[in-house]
Amino acid sequence: MTVMTPAPIDQQQEDEEMLVPHTDLAENNHQPMEVVAQPDAANTVESQPVEDPSTSRFTWKIENFSRMNTKKLYSEIFVVGGYKWRVLIFPKGNNVDYLSMYLDVADSASLPYGWSRYAQFSLAVVNQIHNKYSVRKDTQHQFNARESDWGFTSFMPLGELYDPSRGYLVNDTLVVEAEVLVRRIVDYWTYDSKKETGYVGLKNQGATCYMNSLLQTLYHIPYFRKAVYHMPTTENDMPSGSIPLALQSLFYKLQYSDTSVATKELTKSFGWDTYDSFMQHDVQELNRVLCEKLEDKMKGTVVEGTIQKLFEGHHMNYIECINVDYKSTRKESFYDLQLDVKGCPDVYASFDKYVEVERLEGDNKYHAEQYGLQDAKKGVLFIDFPPVLQLQLKRFEYDFMRDTMVKINDRYEFPLQLDLDRENGKYLSPDADRNVRNLYTLHSVLVHSGGVHGGHYYAFIRPTLSEQWYKFDDERVTKEDTKRALEEQYGGEEELPQTNPGFNNTPFKFTKYSNAYMLVYIREADKDKVICNVDEKDIAEHLRERLKKEQEEKEHKKKEKAEAHLYTIIKVARDEDLAEQIGKDIYFDLVDHDKVRSFRVQKQTSFNLFKDEVAKEFGIPVQFQRFWLWAKRQNHTYRPNRPLTHMEEAQSVGQLREVSNKVHNAELKLFLEVELGLDLRPIAPPDKTKDDILLFFKLYDTEKEELRYVGRLFVKATGKPSEILTRLNKMAGYDPDEEIGLYEEIKFEPNVMCEPIDKKVTFRASQLEDGDIICFQKAPAIDNEHVRYPDVPSYLEYVHNRQVVHFRSLEKPKEDDFCLEMSRLYTYDDVVEKVAQQLGLDDPSIIRLTPHNCYSQQPKPQPIKYRGVEHLSDMLVHYNQTSDILYYEVLDIPLPELQGLKTLKVAFHHATKDEVVIHTIRLPKQSTVGDVLNDLKTKVELSDPEAELRLLEVFYHKIYKVFPPNEKIESINDQYWTLRAEEVVV
């Protein structure tokens, strides 16, 4: 076993040692495995819950140590956490020149099958002269029958141990210490969250752990849950189309289900598809959107205003002049607060920074109406805080130097009790009600583990605000202690324990990537109201009935699944199914087996009894039925391979399934061959000899551009196609002597293969066999210029590359504007020319196209450059997904000319009017900031015709840069920050 840590290479070399079960060397003769440094126990066993941990220290004095002649020696048994342990040492080393020492499960031989236990432990050789030089090493391990002992093969050099001057052996006595902490292990497969904690988890749809942690937090605010239950919904609503009903259903299942709950109905009600579920969205944004939608649905109902009552607070933005009597204030509401982590050691420091006063002076003076530009103070103070206070910690921020988003893993502390009235209410505005006590207690800690590009989310919650914390990690809920819920989520760095204390080893520190990113506090004064009782009487009758039926259906499916091994599925295709498929959307192969009639039959049922069921279903008497097995071919198509024999039909369905498997068929697929007489009534199928070949025929109409299934024929292998031309003309409704061409349909993917058939060569010589497909058509006319696809191969090639593209205006990205049928082989010029024709434009070069993001269901940020792709297929590909959507815009200048220009969006702030107007500036890329400002002067109204303008770079309402007039605009990026233009007042 190798225990991995984030140590750098040089650190690994310094701290190298052996950490293996002793049996790996002594018994199995395996090579020792290297371990670089002691791993962080908390991180390594993060998934192991703390459940009544027990710890104990055991001291073992070994006399006459140097005179021992035994290979290995066990200590007395000691008990920790209800388990029996002992220390095992190899006095002369376990095949190494080191003392070898391990912790051993004393009763491993008598424990039941599958036993497992987890322990963190340290082993030490005590220095009896200078205790600080004692050698102590720590590790942890999950003990089981295969690895019942674990420790250090190279604990310390034998030369040091036996040197009397070192202090380890005194009077030939060695003192060994073992300190063991036992945690109960969680078995992922058998762990029952409901049984162990009383709560159940939420299933992860792919990357929805961030949503699960938020939903669990909201669910465990009972006042919120009760309000959701009281939202009016009806029995005719569908959860997938109603957020309130989907949330009611989810909360009900969380409250009463015994197993983890799925969230698919809720995400569907959000309008998400599968791709959205595999994307990590912004938690704060999800929280706001969800609450806004619920707030809107609650209007006009008995629970109107619940969201505001729970989560809404207010603060006051103010600007106060220093030298004149002028003050401007603006009241704003908030549902959550974003607090800085960087540069702030704890929550209080973040609040201090939030209300920090900013000085507006120098070039940044405030324009105070009748007083003009003035030095001023700008800040924020709170008018009131909500009963439930949601704090979003800014763990992610944009790094301007690296031009990327980064995660802030700094240590950041948050208290169990949060006092926002501290220091005489320093955070409160003069208008705040000082009679309200703003003392909060921590309810939830939402955690992000990982980096800026991904990671895992989970939540620590105190549902009743008791001392007991619970960890909600998707499907698993476990009990946790306060230390893991709070201190271990502060972030920062952690120091690994030293392997040899006292020898001046430099401690190794590593960054903790698991840390809190959202905190939920509940005001003490509102605790009893928020943490209220919620029971069945709060839940609508129709919802209880609906969920009861769902549970019954679930039990029925569960029963079906349990009995599935007793049944098999038989799929039966008929001529009607072939005719239904060929000629509409699908042109290749014979049938879509997902659409044909399926029968669920007990395996012990005889096949002849099954034929009775087919007779009832299709109205075809048993004596007129003949069944063929389908076989999968190398070209990945299924074709009827051979009829069932009388002996096979006498078998059971289960036995026939085994026969089916031998012809490369995972399911039992059958083709029902039925012959019809002149009166269209079934007749007995003709006997099939070895010389008979069953062929299927499709007819291609060049005028209609249509390929359709017309029937099947038995032909003699020794016969020639020329002998059946009259029969084919009759099937097609042609004159008996109509000249027709024949083609064998061979494969469709990855390329079309459809070869002409020589009518004068026998079927056997042309390698035709049962199940093959022949396409035929009238012989192509000489003067067929009006026909786009004159023969079957060219038509199938067209079908193979045909693509219906949905075009949307970039200004209305959710609505289809028009659709065009195109070929994926179309060039860039072909595509824009078709779009221009559709829009009635003469110049295709003013069309600019933007591809579709299959995951976000939005236009990609970058449009397609002029002739930047070769074919339509390149425009529609997004990673491994293929889209059928393109966005278009009509430019005022040709795209090649536009690409030589730089486009910037500039927000112009008028000097005296309280207005901001966004202007689009388009100039050659070599232009300067001065050129931008000159262009802007022609578009805006200035307070003074002689006024000068300046261009600023603004991010989060703060000025980061004032552009010099001579700076080139080509390097300016307005994607992440705002470009602000304003007058310079002298």
Side-chain angles (χ1 to χ4, degrees), residues 95-324:
N95 297 333
V96 292
D97 292 328
Y98 287 78
L99 174 70
S100 303
M101 185 154 52
Y102 311 88
L103 180 66
D104 177 67
V105 176
D107 55 347
S108 60
S110 61
L111 290 175
Y113 176 78
W115 69 271
S116 180
R117 69 184 60 160
Y118 170 80
Q120 292 172 255
F121 62 94
S122 69
L123 300 174
V125 172
V126 177
N127 191 299
Q128 300 169 61
I129 299 175
H130 300 289
N131 189 62
K132 68 178 182 178
Y133 294 126
S134 299
V135 179
R136 185 176 305 276
K137 295 187 178 182
D138 308 84
T139 187
Q140 67 279 318
H141 184 59
Q142 182 175 324
F143 293 85
N144 52 50
R146 217 179 68 178
E147 295 175 348
S148 60
D149 50 53
W150 193 259
F152 306 89
T153 300
S154 303
F155 187 83
M156 65 178 297
L158 293 176
E160 291 183 14
L161 177 67
Y162 285 97
D163 185 346
S165 65
R166 294 293 186 103
Y168 299 109
L169 272 179
V170 175
N171 297 326
D172 205 20
T173 298
L174 184 74
V175 180
V176 171
E177 285 184 352
E179 190 165 354
V180 182
L181 182 147
V182 176
R183 294 181 190 262
R184 189 170 68 84
I185 195 121
V186 171
D187 186 332
Y188 290 102
W189 302 106
T190 62
Y191 183 77
D192 187 330
S193 292
K194 185 80 169 191
K195 180 181 176 182
E196 299 292 337
T197 67
Y199 302 104
V200 297
L202 290 169
K203 294 178 181 177
N204 193 322
Q205 290 187 47
T208 55
C209 49
Y210 70 97
M211 180 184 71
N212 291 349
S213 60
L214 175 64
L215 290 173
Q216 289 282 16
T217 301
L218 294 172
Y219 168 81
H220 287 291
I221 300 174
Y223 191 92
F224 178 84
R225 190 194 328 161
K226 181 176 281 196
V228 168
Y229 282 152
H230 282 274
M231 295 178 70
T233 53
T234 70
E235 58 188 12
N236 296 322
D237 292 343
M238 292 300 295
S240 58
S242 166
I243 291 179
L245 183 58
L247 202 56
Q248 287 174 347
S249 174
L250 183 79
F251 282 2
Y252 181 91
K253 291 172 184 175
L254 281 175
Q255 190 162 346
Y256 294 105
S257 176
D258 292 327
T259 56
S260 57
V261 179
T263 58
K264 286 185 179 179
E265 282 185 344
L266 183 64
T267 55
K268 282 183 180 177
S269 74
F270 293 164
W272 292 2
D273 59 13
T274 306
Y275 300 129
D276 291 291
S277 298
F278 281 87
M279 291 180 66
Q280 286 187 353
H281 297 251
D282 180 74
V283 178
Q284 183 187 21
E285 185 65 21
L286 175 63
N287 191 18
R288 287 184 179 178
V289 169
L290 179 60
C291 286
E292 282 174 8
K293 287 185 180 293
L294 291 176
E295 189 178 346
D296 184 58
K297 297 288 185 181
M298 289 177 177
K299 287 178 181 176
T301 73
V302 293
V303 289
E304 181 174 0
T306 298
I307 301 295
Q308 295 96 318
K309 289 175 188 174
L310 276 179
F311 303 116
E312 187 178 47
H314 300 88
H315 52 52
M316 177 187 73
N317 293 286
Y318 68 88
I319 299 177
E320 185 176 2
C321 292
I322 296 172
N323 301 316
V324 297

Side-chain angles (χ1 to χ4, degrees), residues 939-950:
K939 299 178 178 178
V940 301
E941 177 189 350
L942 301 175
S943 60
D944 182 349
E946 301 300 320
E948 293 298 320
L949 298 180
R950 65 175 180 174

Side-chain angles (χ1 to χ4, degrees), residues 683-696:
I683 59 175
D687 292 334
K688 181 183 184 304
T689 67
K690 289 185 178 180
D691 194 40
D692 289 327
I693 300 174
L694 179 63
L695 298 178
F696 294 84

Side-chain angles (χ1 to χ4, degrees), residues 744-768:
E744 183 189 0
E745 186 182 285
I746 301 171
K747 69 173 186 175
F748 202 58
E749 295 290 353
N751 299 306
V752 172
M753 191 171 178
C754 188
E755 302 291 341
I757 295 175
D758 191 334
K759 302 172 195 174
K760 299 177 182 178
V761 176
T762 65
F763 291 106
R764 179 173 290 154
S766 295
Q767 298 183 336
L768 290 167

